[in-house]
Amino acid sequence: MQLISPDRIYASYEVETAHPLADAIAIMAGEQSSGTFLQVPGETLELKERSGARIEAIRETGSAAQPSLPGASAPKAERAPTWRRAETLISWPLGNLGPSLPNLMATVAGNLFELQQFSALRLLDITLPEAFRDAYPGPQFGVAGTRRLTGVEGRPLIGTIVKPSVGLSPAQTATLTQQLVDGGIDFIKDDELQADGPDCPFAERATAVMEVIQRFADRTGKQPMFAFNITGEIDQMLERHDLVASLGGTCVMVSLNSVGLPAFSYLRRHCSLPIHAHRNGWGLFQRSPHIGMSYVAYQKLWRLAGADHMHVNGLKNKFCEADDSVLRSARECATPMFAGEGRGCEVMPVFSSGQTVRQVPATWKGLGSPDLIYAAGGGLVAHPGGVASGVRAMRQAWEAAMAGIDLDEHAKVHPELRQALEKYA
Amino acid sequence: MQLISPDRIYASYEVETAHPLADAIAIMAGEQSSGTFLQVPGETLELKERSGARIEAIRETGSAAQPSLPGASAPKAERAPTWRRAETLISWPLGNLGPSLPNLMATVAGNLFELQQFSALRLLDITLPEAFRDAYPGPQFGVAGTRRLTGVEGRPLIGTIVKPSVGLSPAQTATLTQQLVDGGIDFIKDDELQADGPDCPFAERATAVMEVIQRFADRTGKQPMFAFNITGEIDQMLERHDLVASLGGTCVMVSLNSVGLPAFSYLRRHCSLPIHAHRNGWGLFQRSPHIGMSYVAYQKLWRLAGADHMHVNGLKNKFCEADDSVLRSARECATPMFAGEGRGCEVMPVFSSGQTVRQVPATWKGLGSPDLIYAAGGGLVAHPGGVASGVRAMRQAWEAAMAGIDLDEHAKVHPELRQALEKYA
């Protein structure tokens, strides 16, 4: 996508329609700017020229005999319409909405999803004017800040998720944390289901966990990062953030789709710690090939708002995303959104979901960068030798992959890796 | 759905899977509570009993030869698996998360949408413990408060949307508002695309519009309600709310999917005016029959958080929702969520999208209640006699419908209605 004007917002879509492509897309551009379903008195040519969305490009990509989604209309004259697929690029003047992420959503991802002219409509990408970068802070820590806080350089951060996800008491969570940090883990996160329920209150959990981590850091000079899930109402999130910071913690986690962009931005402006961004609920945007949003577009919104770590799923995950899509998401997180020193909003991708030592070589090969968090829950804590062995096995797998050594070969002299390969066969 | 325990959260789903139904649904319940893709050391039977999600019911509803969504797995032994559809009811202990709407989202609408065991998964309904009602304020005005502020009783509020949606200056918006209030309109709303763009700054627009409305109110003793779109960052929303209140305005509007639940709750606690809740972007949740969320579940979240008016689309709308679905949504808005005086969270449904006088009789017949806002943009302001005639035509259509008089019959002695029927044939 080529940026044509610095004062316009660009969004590309994949669409399917039985109507003439240009007509249907003109309705979409109208609905999302100055038009409605019929001409109204004040809609002058001059107004349309100034405020209307502009169709920049249409490229037909294929067709289908049947509509991909129900409810779409077809021209009345056609008994067996062709449902054409196309990619289109649409632009809006920044003057319509200004550099506002919430209002951007209403413009590029609002009513258009419901238009009956389309039997499929997905947002593929967005390109934003520099004014958005001026209005939003972007990530505060990103890759460099996360490495600085953890002291891990030149290799991925080996991470894990507290499992069982829910059900452990604060004291049990601290005990598990003790095992993990003793085992050499770099990064631990709460499960997204564990926030501040009455059965495991946040303040008690954070206090118990940070006592373990502080003691470990005092002894070893190395402080593993624990991402505490502060998801909640705004006052709760700020209060929990402040508690984590006061306890010497180095990361907070938020469920993006639970909190929304303005609450996230509000937290970011208050925040003194990296924000680990969890995308649970993402399936709503991604599962259907015919409606929704690509992660390429989605992750830009949150990076600009200030996420430091973005979840991208993992290779051969327990969900249903294909490996090439996972790798594309991860690469996108490292691609600058804006030009200029410190303006790119690059973030650290988090590989997670059904990960074990098995996926390490392909992850390294596919990404070609060690700038990631590689998080495994069951794939690490269920190691037959215990969590410490699980951590060691994961580090051994990454050493091998980055040195170009076959895992089975490396396992001959690394018993924890061998056990992991047997367990996660 | 029958509420069984006052300390549990219930959610029902429609699912499709090639795996044995009970097995697949058990994985879903596990993923959303104490389980993960393999057994981990701390997951004791006692922990699962206390914290695990419970499958309350499974009812097979049909099957398909092909998976409805891509990426789903099937048992390896089966070459031509049957993809069974079912409805299931799952429950969670409140102790896992407490009465928190953001964390409820992660629990009932989080990772589960991505599980590869399912080729379709939709959230149908939720039932929440009383603790949620104690923790959230619900609507501040609802139907009664909206009627009190507008002075409209016994019939729907006739509403309109400022059109063209974007492109008018503050002064032009005020001029249009003058025509509308002179014509007898009850309710006007900003388009969801018009918030605080540089081309029509919020403060200027609100000031110009409220001057017109205040002058009209001073003269007539009747104040039409104008829903100003305050969607933006949190500080912006509070500031714009305060401005509207200080100018004597009686309503603010927010794009729900742009702001998210915590920012909405934050606004509600600060707010002294009814909140008009716009659902643009809803197509993302609703367009696919195979992934997403029903409006029955969705609107409960926002009612509890404090919406006063909820958009439900309209009959024969310009989008692609069927009429029975629109009416079900509207009826749901009037159905109490909790028992007890003032605890039901009933809100005013807003009919909108391609509405003209034509849909009035079926809307009245289908809803059986005058407690709604009937909003038309082009269907009112494009009236050949001008906006005042458009308003009169709409009121005439509702008079006729509620009195059981055929529109064409009524039009014989009501020229504005006759013109509208000709225009919107």
Side-chain angles (χ1 to χ4, degrees):
Chain A
M1 197 194 302
Q2 201 195 339
L3 189 64
I4 300 159
S5 158
D7 295 324
R8 295 186 76 83
I9 293 159
Y10 295 81
S12 59
Y13 299 88
E14 188 179 15
V15 299
E16 181 185 282
T17 181
H19 300 274
L21 273 172
D23 296 357
I25 293 168
I27 287 170
M28 175 179 160
E31 174 68 29
Q32 294 308 119
S33 60
S34 62
T36 185
F37 69 110
L38 38 75
Q39 184 80 25
V40 298
E43 197 186 356
T44 61
L45 276 176
E46 185 262 335
L47 182 145
K48 275 206 267 197
E49 177 58 33
R50 187 181 65 242
S51 307
R54 194 187 291 157
I55 302 169
E56 304 282 355
I58 299 175
R59 186 170 64 86
E60 193 166 340
T61 54
S63 66
Q66 299 294 327
S68 294
L69 291 175
S73 65
K76 277 175 194 157
E78 294 191 36
R79 292 222 184 149
T82 300
W83 301 83
R84 289 180 195 85
R85 290 189 82 95
E87 285 187 18
T88 183
L89 178 66
I90 296 178
S91 74
W92 289 260
L94 182 60
N96 282 17
L97 58 149
S100 164
L101 286 176
N103 291 300
L104 177 72
M105 292 298 289
T107 298
V108 304
N111 275 343
L112 76 183
F113 290 119
E114 295 184 63
L115 288 170
Q116 65 179 212
Q117 282 76 17
F118 298 95
S119 51
L121 197 153
R122 279 182 64 82
L123 174 62
L124 298 178
D125 201 358
I126 49 175
T127 303
L128 302 174
E130 294 285 335
F132 273 85
R133 185 63 182 93
D134 300 336
Y136 286 91
Q140 190 174 183
F141 291 86
V143 175
T146 300
R147 290 201 176 283
R148 183 170 45 76
L149 286 170
T150 54
V152 176
E153 299 290 343
R155 60 169 179 83
L157 273 67
I158 306 299
T160 192
I161 305 109
V162 173
K163 297 281 176 187
S165 315
V166 288
L168 297 180
S169 67
Q172 289 172 317
T173 310
T175 302
L176 177 60
T177 303
Q178 184 72 65
Q179 296 174 303
L180 288 162
V181 298
D182 286 344
I185 198 89
D186 303 313
F187 177 91
I188 309 170
K189 62 178 275 292
D190 277 331
D191 193 89
E192 82 278 4
L193 298 169
Q194 186 69 275
D196 187 34
D199 290 352
C200 188
F202 184 87
E204 268 184 64
R205 184 172 79 255
T207 305
V209 164
M210 281 312 301
E211 204 181 294
V212 167
I213 288 180
Q214 283 289 26
R215 207 166 46 224
F216 180 86
D218 290 346
R219 199 177 76 228
T220 64
K222 178 184 148 96
Q223 178 167 339
M225 182 174 273
F226 195 111
F228 289 98
N229 179 16
I230 64 170
T231 302
E233 300 300 334
I234 286 174
D235 293 340
Q236 295 171 336
M237 289 198 284
L238 299 193
E239 193 182 310
R240 291 173 200 159
H241 164 273
D242 293 350
L243 176 65
V244 171
S246 76
L247 293 168
T250 54
C251 191
V252 292
M253 170 176 134
V254 166
S255 290
L256 301 178
N257 300 309
S258 295
V259 307
L261 284 160
F264 188 86
S265 290
Y266 196 80
L267 170 67
R268 165 66 179 85
R269 288 176 198 281
H270 174 89
C271 199
S272 63
L273 303 173
I275 306 178
H276 186 85
H278 201 291
R279 71 177 195 180
N280 66 82
W282 166 243
L284 262 172
F285 300 80
Q286 176 271 333
R287 263 311 291 274
S288 168
H290 309 302
I291 194 81
M293 197 182 290
S294 85
Y295 198 65
V296 174
Y298 178 85
Q299 51 94 41
K300 286 185 178 176
L301 304 168
W302 300 100
R303 286 166 59 187
L304 189 55
D308 292 288
H309 310 152
M310 291 284 301
H311 276 242
V312 298
N313 216 334
L315 302 189
K316 298 194 194 308
N317 55 73
K318 65 182 168 182
F319 301 135
C320 44
E321 188 175 356
D323 288 353
D324 61 343
S325 169
V326 173
L327 289 170
R328 193 165 57 242
S329 296
R331 282 188 213 108
E332 191 66 30
C333 289
T335 305
M337 282 178 65
F338 298 92
E341 182 67 23
R343 287 174 66 87
C345 300
E346 298 89 343
V347 297
M348 201 148 195
V350 182
F351 283 70
S352 179
S353 165
Q355 298 299 286
T356 73
V357 292
R358 289 277 171 197
Q359 294 101 320
V360 168
T363 304
W364 168 248
K365 196 176 163 206
L367 193 62
S369 162
D371 290 338
L372 70 148
I373 298 174
Y374 192 79
L380 190 145
V381 302
H383 190 286
V387 291
S389 298
V391 175
R392 277 194 285 275
M394 206 60 92
R395 290 186 63 164
Q396 292 159 2
W398 274 99
E399 282 160 17
M402 291 178 68
I405 302 167
D406 185 78
L407 286 195
D408 288 318
E409 199 58 35
H410 205 58
K412 287 180 183 166
V413 287
H414 292 89
E416 292 89 356
L417 179 56
R418 196 181 61 238
Q419 282 182 295
L421 290 170
E422 282 159 9
K423 167 77 181 180
Y424 308 111
Chain B
M1 194 193 301
Q2 202 196 340
L3 189 64
I4 301 158
S5 157
D7 295 324
R8 294 185 78 82
I9 293 158
Y10 294 81
S12 59
Y13 299 87
E14 187 179 13
V15 298
E16 181 184 281
T17 181
H19 300 274
L21 274 172
D23 296 357
I25 293 168
I27 286 170
M28 174 180 162
E31 175 67 30
Q32 295 307 118
S33 59
S34 61
T36 184
F37 70 109
L38 39 73
Q39 184 80 26
V40 298
E43 197 186 356
T44 61
L45 277 176
E46 186 262 333
L47 181 144
K48 276 206 268 196
E49 176 59 32
R50 186 180 67 241
S51 306
R54 195 187 290 158
I55 303 169
E56 303 282 355
I58 300 175
R59 186 171 64 87
E60 195 166 339
T61 54
S63 66
Q66 298 295 328
S68 293
L69 291 174
S73 65
K76 278 175 194 158
E78 295 190 37
R79 293 225 181 147
T82 301
W83 301 82
R84 290 181 194 84
R85 290 189 81 95
E87 285 188 17
T88 184
L89 178 66
I90 296 177
S91 74
W92 289 261
L94 181 61
N96 282 17
L97 58 148
S100 164
L101 286 175
N103 290 300
L104 177 72
M105 292 298 289
T107 299
V108 305
N111 274 342
L112 76 183
F113 290 119
E114 295 185 63
L115 288 171
Q116 65 179 212
Q117 282 76 16
F118 298 95
S119 51
L121 197 153
R122 279 182 64 83
L123 174 62
L124 298 178
D125 200 356
I126 48 174
T127 304
L128 302 174
E130 293 285 335
F132 272 86
R133 185 64 183 92
D134 300 336
Y136 286 90
Q140 191 175 182
F141 291 86
V143 175
T146 300
R147 289 202 176 283
R148 183 169 45 76
L149 286 170
T150 54
V152 176
E153 300 289 342
R155 61 166 180 83
L157 272 67
I158 305 299
T160 192
I161 305 108
V162 173
K163 297 280 176 188
S165 315
V166 288
L168 296 180
S169 68
Q172 289 172 315
T173 309
T175 302
L176 177 60
T177 302
Q178 185 73 64
Q179 296 174 302
L180 288 162
V181 298
D182 287 344
I185 198 89
D186 303 312
F187 176 90
I188 308 171
K189 63 179 274 292
D190 276 331
D191 193 89
E192 81 278 5
L193 298 168
Q194 186 70 275
D196 186 34
D199 291 351
C200 187
F202 185 87
E204 269 184 63
R205 183 171 80 254
T207 305
V209 164
M210 281 312 302
E211 203 180 296
V212 167
I213 289 180
Q214 283 290 24
R215 207 165 49 225
F216 180 86
D218 290 346
R219 198 176 78 229
T220 64
K222 178 185 148 98
Q223 178 165 337
M225 182 174 273
F226 195 111
F228 290 98
N229 180 16
I230 64 170
T231 302
E233 300 300 334
I234 287 174
D235 293 340
Q236 295 171 334
M237 289 198 283
L238 299 192
E239 193 182 311
R240 291 172 199 158
H241 163 273
D242 293 350
L243 176 65
V244 171
S246 76
L247 293 167
T250 54
C251 191
V252 292
M253 170 175 135
V254 167
S255 290
L256 300 179
N257 300 311
S258 294
V259 307
L261 283 160
F264 188 86
S265 290
Y266 197 80
L267 170 67
R268 165 65 179 86
R269 289 178 197 278
H270 174 89
C271 199
S272 63
L273 303 172
I275 306 177
H276 187 85
H278 200 291
R279 71 177 194 180
N280 65 83
W282 165 245
L284 263 171
F285 300 80
Q286 175 271 335
R287 264 310 291 273
S288 167
H290 308 303
I291 194 82
M293 197 183 290
S294 84
Y295 198 64
V296 174
Y298 178 84
Q299 50 95 45
K300 286 185 179 175
L301 304 168
W302 300 100
R303 286 166 59 188
L304 189 55
D308 292 288
H309 311 152
M310 291 284 301
H311 276 242
V312 298
N313 215 333
L315 302 189
K316 297 193 196 308
N317 54 74
K318 65 182 169 182
F319 300 135
C320 46
E321 187 175 357
D323 288 354
D324 60 343
S325 170
V326 173
L327 289 170
R328 193 165 57 241
S329 296
R331 280 188 214 109
E332 190 67 29
C333 289
T335 305
M337 281 177 66
F338 297 92
E341 182 67 24
R343 287 175 66 87
C345 299
E346 298 89 342
V347 297
M348 202 146 193
V350 183
F351 283 69
S352 180
S353 165
Q355 298 298 288
T356 73
V357 292
R358 289 277 171 198
Q359 295 100 320
V360 169
T363 304
W364 167 247
K365 197 177 162 204
L367 193 61
S369 162
D371 290 337
L372 70 146
I373 298 174
Y374 191 78
L380 190 143
V381 301
H383 190 286
V387 290
S389 297
V391 175
R392 277 195 286 275
M394 205 61 91
R395 290 185 63 163
Q396 291 159 3
W398 274 99
E399 282 160 17
M402 291 178 69
I405 301 167
D406 186 76
L407 286 194
D408 288 317
E409 198 59 35
H410 204 59
K412 287 178 182 168
V413 288
H414 293 90
E416 293 89 356
L417 179 57
R418 194 181 64 238
Q419 282 182 296
L421 289 170
E422 283 160 8
K423 167 77 181 178
Y424 308 112

